[in-house]
Amino acid sequence: MRIATWNVNSIKQRLDHAAIWLKERQPDLVCLQEIKCVDEAFPREAFEALGYNVAVHGQKGFNGVAVLSKLPFDEVTTGLPGDEADVQSRFIEVVVSTPKGAVRVCGIYLPNGNPPDTEKYPYKLGWMARLKTLIAQRLTYEEPLVIAGDYNVIPAPEDVHDPALWVGDALFLPKTRAAFRELLNLGLTEAVRATTDEAKLYTFWDYQAGAWQKNNGIRIDHLLLSPQAADRLKGVGIDKHTRTWEKPSDHVPVWADFDLG
């Protein structure tokens, strides 16, 4: 079973890219972030024509997450619990059934948090605390669980082209990285670093200052795995080539293969 994540930075602008990549990579389930449209405007027919079931938690002009799955959804839940005042569409959870049992996948678009001296940074840390609470509960199910998405977290210095340039950024602040480690310390495994220590592995390159051409990237798109998922991990990939396409997303897909089907 292949599970992937991709911040598409507007599904309407990147629909052709998404279709090409889906045909090429053939993920069984993919979490999309920053779709930037309401549920009714999501181009579900295009994905259904490719054999995918569609679940959407959208928001007009901003944020928004979705899941595409070749397997039918047994459950779909939207919205991260813990703050009734939070109206941002950043969390979707699905359950699908495989021949080896249920698989639970959470698609997340974690808040950016910049500028860190505004209310945006406490919102980011609060969101991460709520996610930790939810995942701790989900781990009690002892089932394969994948939390896939744009975390807006640079976990370590080796995940950024020039750490000194990011010292004051919300993606790299000590509290941000500590909160990410707290997630891992629940018993989760980060898929990419479980399979490689390779340097200069990035998933995001800014549109400005020739970042892509200079490979001035950062790694902020992650798949975190429960022990039951990590035990069945077979391989991981970062589809860097999609950043070369015309008018690309500033993020590229990350995927992992599991012995689950």
Side-chain angles (χ1 to χ4, degrees):
M1 184 177 185
R2 179 166 292 162
I3 298 175
T5 180
W6 193 6
N7 179 324
V8 292
N9 192 8
S10 175
I11 192 60
K12 291 181 180 179
Q13 292 186 32
R14 244 62 72 176
L15 179 57
D16 290 344
H17 286 192
I20 291 169
W21 175 76
L22 288 169
K23 293 175 185 176
E24 174 187 283
R25 183 55 62 195
Q26 290 293 322
D28 296 287
L29 189 149
V30 54
C31 298
L32 302 176
Q33 302 89 45
E34 215 172 343
I35 60 172
K36 295 183 178 178
C37 68
V38 295
D39 295 12
E40 296 77 16
F42 189 86
R44 63 173 54 243
E45 293 84 2
F47 298 112
E48 290 170 346
L50 295 174
Y52 287 93
N53 298 286
V54 179
V56 184
H57 182 39
Q59 185 173 345
K60 186 177 181 179
F62 299 95
N63 307 321
V65 288
V67 178
L68 313 177
S69 174
K70 290 183 178 180
L71 298 168
F73 297 119
D74 296 335
E75 300 175 25
V76 176
T77 306
T78 58
L80 183 65
D83 183 358
E84 293 184 1
D86 184 6
V87 297
Q88 297 190 30
S89 298
R90 295 180 173 276
F91 180 89
I92 188 167
E93 180 181 21
V94 302
V95 178
V96 296
S97 294
T98 76
K100 294 189 177 182
V103 176
R104 186 176 299 270
V105 178
C106 299
I108 71 165
Y109 178 37
L110 204 146
N112 180 286
N114 282 303
D117 59 350
T118 69
E119 74 284 352
K120 293 183 178 181
Y121 192 58
Y123 173 64
K124 179 190 186 86
L125 294 179
W127 206 96
M128 295 182 80
R130 288 158 52 203
L131 180 64
K132 177 185 174 185
T133 297
L134 178 81
I135 298 307
Q137 191 276 328
R138 294 296 189 260
L139 287 171
T140 65
Y141 298 162
E142 297 186 351
E143 63 191 0
L145 166 68
V146 179
I147 308 105
D150 175 1
Y151 281 72
N152 272 312
V153 174
I154 302 169
E158 54 265 31
D159 299 311
V160 53
H161 66 95
D162 186 350
L165 294 178
W166 292 81
V167 168
D169 194 282
L171 280 63
F172 197 52
L173 287 174
K175 287 184 179 179
T176 303
R177 289 186 283 157
F180 187 78
R181 286 194 300 272
E182 287 180 13
L183 279 173
L184 293 175
N185 289 342
L186 293 173
L188 300 176
T189 297
E190 200 260 288
V192 167
R193 286 304 177 209
T195 57
T196 180
D197 293 325
E198 184 179 342
K200 297 184 179 180
L201 283 179
Y202 307 132
T203 64
F204 170 93
W205 297 260
D206 195 275
Y207 292 126
Q208 307 300 319
W212 165 250
Q213 291 78 6
K214 299 173 184 176
N215 198 28
N216 291 346
I218 56 177
R219 196 173 67 88
I220 56 175
D221 303 88
H222 311 298
L223 294 90
L224 302 190
L225 317 177
S226 71
Q228 295 77 14
D231 286 348
R232 301 176 185 180
L233 180 64
K234 296 300 180 184
V236 175
I238 299 175
D239 284 337
K240 183 178 177 180
H241 68 282
T242 61
R243 190 62 171 78
T244 68
W245 294 350
E246 186 177 359
K247 296 181 180 179
S249 170
D250 39 10
H251 296 251
V252 299
V254 184
W255 52 269
D257 287 339
F258 302 89
D259 179 20
L260 292 168

